[in-house]
Amino acid sequence: MPLKNRLEVKLILVILMLIISSTLSYSHNDTTKNLDLSAKYYENLKTWPNKFLNLNKNSSTGKGIKVAILDTEVKFKTVNNLKRIHYFLSNDNANSFIEASTHADQIVSIINSIAPDAEIYLVVVSNKDGKIKENDLKNALDWLTKEKVDIINMSFGFNSAMSKTIEPRLEKLYKNNTVIVAASGNEGISRVNYPASSQYVISVGANDYSGQKWINSNYGTELDFSMPGVQIIDKYRQIYVDGTSFSTAFMSGMIAKLKEKHHNTSNKDIYAKLIQMTPTHKWNPLNGYGIPTF
């Protein structure tokens, strides 16, 4: 049974909220800002997502869980349990020398900090400029099906669905009990990007430290949940970053914790558990079901 419930009530809610207030172009569209290095502010900034999500209340470490991250290459390869790096970049989409930390470095760092014993499979489908070819993504998903990973993190988005190539592969992974998590997008529009919009994917938007929707987080009928995505510390570059990419990583880390003790739990039950972990268990188009916490 698909994750999303596409009832007409969702469309009605979107309309009400609005009244109240392929190879497609792909981009992370995450933003960066310099740190305020005043000691107290900086320390609070480093830990706010963990405190907000009550991550310390769950002692699981993701042991025995395989988490695949489809992203750029990494600059730093000394992260705990980085088991494999597999490349699916076409020759004409290959990277030149990487001089600084990458988007994938930050995603890997977040997931590893939440679930340090999870096995990380980095699958390189994007060059350092954020370009992904449809065929590379298709091949990567085929490989991950064979690898039988537990979670797939996709912190990227396209403007349109790839119904003939990617969607059938997402369906197959979903039926094989792989949890797929993707970013809603950073344009601040009432449309969730693909593959987050797929019925086989958990879509994640971004909230700030007050629990409010980040202004640039995409929203709408296909949004499932929100997670911290504002003023997230990039430990490699000593800056903070905003974006649904990072919200997606927090969700993948949380699911790795959940699946450690319930490895064979169905995707449907994981989804239901996440809803149960939100404050109200009610859906709205701006935040989905809201923010699950331990």
Side-chain angles (χ1 to χ4, degrees):
M1 181 178 180
L3 287 171
K4 295 180 176 64
N5 180 4
R6 301 170 183 270
L7 297 176
E8 291 183 359
V9 66
K10 284 191 174 184
L11 181 57
I12 295 171
L13 281 170
V14 171
I15 294 171
L16 288 174
M17 292 298 293
L18 289 173
I19 291 173
I20 294 172
S21 50
S22 124
T23 300
L24 302 174
S25 175
Y26 148 67
S27 175
H28 300 298
N29 284 338
D30 305 310
T31 60
T32 63
K33 297 178 183 178
N34 292 327
L35 285 174
D36 179 343
L37 293 177
S38 58
K40 184 175 181 181
Y41 179 79
Y42 179 67
E43 288 303 313
N44 288 338
L45 204 60
K46 285 197 297 185
T47 58
W48 87 260
N50 292 8
K51 292 178 179 178
F52 194 97
L53 298 173
N54 293 324
L55 293 178
N56 292 336
K57 290 187 176 181
N58 183 292
S59 60
S60 297
T61 60
K63 188 176 180 61
I65 304 302
K66 297 179 180 180
V67 181
I69 300 172
L70 276 66
D71 216 288
T72 64
E73 193 173 354
V74 290
K75 175 73 172 180
F76 302 97
K77 300 178 181 179
T78 57
V79 176
N80 291 340
N81 286 332
L82 182 55
K83 293 296 185 181
R84 297 189 65 176
I85 301 178
H86 206 91
Y87 292 83
F88 285 94
L89 284 177
S90 303
N91 290 335
D92 60 346
N93 202 31
N95 287 316
S96 57
F97 179 72
I98 297 175
E99 297 180 356
S101 66
T102 66
H103 188 266
D105 279 308
Q106 181 68 1
I107 301 303
V108 170
S109 175
I110 291 172
I111 294 175
N112 184 254
S113 70
I114 299 170
D117 290 327
E119 298 178 4
I120 302 296
Y121 288 62
L122 178 63
V123 184
V124 182
V125 294
S126 169
N127 69 14
K128 64 179 183 178
D129 299 319
K131 294 180 180 178
I132 296 178
K133 290 185 174 293
E134 183 174 353
N135 193 60
D136 293 346
L137 180 57
K138 174 180 71 68
N139 291 337
L141 293 174
D142 285 340
W143 181 74
L144 288 172
T145 301
K146 296 176 184 177
E147 291 295 313
K148 298 181 179 179
V149 297
D150 299 293
I151 301 165
I152 296 176
N153 185 96
M154 295 190 288
S155 290
F156 56 80
F158 300 90
N159 293 327
S160 301
M162 300 174 181
S163 56
K164 293 183 179 180
T165 54
I166 304 305
E167 190 70 5
R169 286 163 172 81
L170 298 178
E171 180 181 8
K172 184 175 182 179
L173 283 159
Y174 175 82
K175 289 180 177 179
N176 288 345
N177 212 35
T178 296
V179 181
I180 311 168
V181 189
S184 70
N186 302 327
E187 295 80 31
I189 59 176
S190 59
R191 175 182 56 77
V192 172
N193 286 344
Y194 187 82
S197 59
S198 170
Q199 61 181 320
Y200 305 109
V201 174
I202 295 177
S203 59
V204 186
N207 69 271
D208 62 21
Y209 38 78
S210 68
Q212 299 301 306
K213 172 189 169 297
W214 178 47
I215 189 171
N216 292 328
S217 181
N218 289 8
Y219 58 99
T221 57
E222 306 301 341
L223 183 63
D224 292 310
F225 298 98
S226 295
M227 294 290 272
V230 176
Q231 294 188 319
I232 307 301
I233 294 294
D234 182 332
K235 69 177 184 179
Y236 298 111
R237 293 181 290 170
Q238 291 301 294
I239 58 176
Y240 65 78
V241 292
D242 302 336
T244 57
S245 290
F246 315 114
S247 308
T248 303
F250 279 107
M251 176 62 82
S252 293
M254 176 175 280
I255 293 172
K257 280 178 169 284
L258 292 176
K259 284 188 75 72
E260 178 185 338
K261 292 186 177 180
H262 308 283
H263 200 160
N264 296 319
T265 302
S266 70
N267 286 347
K268 181 180 177 181
D269 287 341
I270 288 290
Y271 192 77
K273 176 62 175 176
L274 290 170
I275 294 175
Q276 185 182 14
M277 291 165 63
T278 63
T280 67
H281 321 315
K282 295 180 180 179
W283 183 90
N284 71 72
L286 295 181
N287 301 293
Y289 282 103
I291 309 158
T293 62
F294 286 114

